[in-house]
Amino acid sequence: DRITQLIDEVKALGLGICPPDINSPRAEFGVRDGAVVFGMGAVKGVGSAAIDVIRDCRQELGRDFTDLFDLGENVDLQKVNRKVLAGLINSGAMDRLPGHRNQLLLNLDKAIAFGQKTARDRAGGQGSLFGGSAAADVLKPALTECAPFDPLVQLSRERAAVGFFLSGHPFEEYREVVDSLPTGNCADTHRRGDGTWVDLVGVITSHTKHRDRHKRIYARANFEDRTGVVPLTIYSHLYEQVVALVECDSVLVIGGRVQMRSDQSREIVVDRITRIDEVMGLWVKDVFLHIDLEIAGRKGMEELGSLFDTYGEPCEIRPLKFAEDEAVAEAAVVTQRSLQTPTMTLSGGSS
């Protein structure tokens, strides 16, 4: 809880937060290039003993670890076990090594097996066939190729490892959708008056469960968007319905009223919570398409028609009305009326 408060304060100050780094192993939080570096000791499942082993190993080598297999070859795998290494990968601590996170996890068992074999060879007095020269790298396994994690999956695994989003934010995947919704933001919420209704788009980054006087469970949570963090209170009558959403990493749209605390800070008493992909279906009533027929061509229009066939529901097509069209229509009506007006013959002329 204390780390949560500090991370929220760092984000409120506009400071960057970097993942831990396997080549800068330290349990405490640090600073690099004006950004806060997440302490390796705060990664779940990574104890101080494992961090000490990694740090001492790197100092003994006198250089950085070059890749996952170099790490497995040199650290004591009895103290830095698979759980520790997987947590470090998911936290982003090995992002500077070759390979992406899914690839590192896929090759983790191979790296551990390689490291264990190297340790057995050392214990048996068997040195490298090539005497430790650069040619010895030929014996080192290569990373098996695979596709990277979906960004949202990677962020979810990252938050499971450290409790926060460090390398990115689920918002980035929904930027266009978020920008199109008529919602406010967390920074502005802290200036709203008591009882003001707000709609916000963001992610629940942490939450705690409590019991009210009737022994019913309710939740307090931290809700984050690109502008900051605001506390939420989700009372029992709603929490029972949305507990799965509170505990997920999805981008959510919440609605509720601002409540002033005794210290004049604000929180939101939540009245509704909805996944962002469901909000689009609930809030959107009209969709206007601007299509350049020359660019789309016949193929593009056929593909659009296929989408309508698959996902659309039959409805009346209502043509758009523009101001200039209405002006032309009105002029036509006036002309028609004038044509239907009877002519009158006057002395000295006619009209």
Side-chain angles (χ1 to χ4, degrees), residues 73 117-118 120-133 136 139:
E73 182 181 10
K117 182 181 183 303
T118 302
R120 289 195 300 269
D121 291 345
R122 286 173 182 163
Q126 298 180 28
S128 170
L129 176 64
F130 299 99
S133 67
L139 299 176

Side-chain angles (χ1 to χ4, degrees), residues 153-260:
V153 173
Q154 177 166 306
L155 288 172
S156 179
R157 298 176 74 99
E158 179 177 281
R159 197 177 85 147
V162 301
F164 311 94
F165 300 116
L166 299 179
S167 62
H169 201 284
F171 250 49
E172 301 304 316
E173 295 297 303
Y174 292 95
R175 180 180 294 275
E176 292 183 1
V177 176
V178 171
D179 291 343
S180 70
L181 294 176
T183 56
N185 59 63
C186 291
D188 183 60
T189 298
H190 289 287
R191 296 186 288 269
R192 295 294 188 93
D194 191 52
T196 305
W197 178 271
V198 293
D199 289 300
L200 303 175
V201 185
V203 178
I204 292 178
T205 55
S206 63
H207 74 282
T208 55
K209 299 177 183 179
H210 307 268
R211 289 190 180 273
D212 59 22
R213 61 182 180 178
H214 301 294
K215 306 299 181 182
R216 295 174 301 190
I217 298 176
Y218 72 98
R220 295 191 180 278
N222 285 320
F223 191 76
E224 175 183 308
D225 65 8
R226 286 175 292 185
T227 68
V229 180
V230 66
L232 306 180
T233 297
I234 309 167
Y235 286 119
S236 57
H237 66 280
L238 176 63
Y239 181 70
E240 293 173 357
Q241 305 172 33
V242 300
V243 58
L245 294 180
V246 173
E247 296 177 353
C248 76
D249 292 322
S250 298
V251 177
L252 304 173
V253 179
I254 66 107
R257 298 195 179 277
V258 175
Q259 180 170 282
M260 298 282 288

Side-chain angles (χ1 to χ4, degrees), residues 69 106-115 141-144:
F69 298 107
L106 177 66
N107 288 270
L108 183 54
D109 289 334
K110 186 193 295 186
I112 292 174
F114 175 69
L143 289 172
T144 302

Side-chain angles (χ1 to χ4, degrees), residues 284-342:
V284 174
K285 295 181 179 179
D286 296 286
V287 177
F288 300 95
L289 300 179
H290 298 269
I291 303 173
D292 188 320
L293 297 179
E294 292 185 1
I295 295 177
R298 182 181 182 86
K299 181 180 179 182
M301 296 307 297
E302 289 176 347
E303 291 176 350
L304 179 61
S306 178
L307 288 174
F308 287 156
D309 288 340
T310 304
Y311 301 104
E313 295 181 1
C315 63
E316 179 185 358
I317 297 178
R318 293 174 290 122
L320 295 179
K321 294 182 179 180
F322 297 97
E324 55 268 27
D325 295 338
E326 294 178 354
V328 170
E330 184 176 351
V333 170
V334 172
T335 302
Q336 184 67 21
R337 287 175 177 171
S338 66
L339 291 174
Q340 294 175 355
T341 303

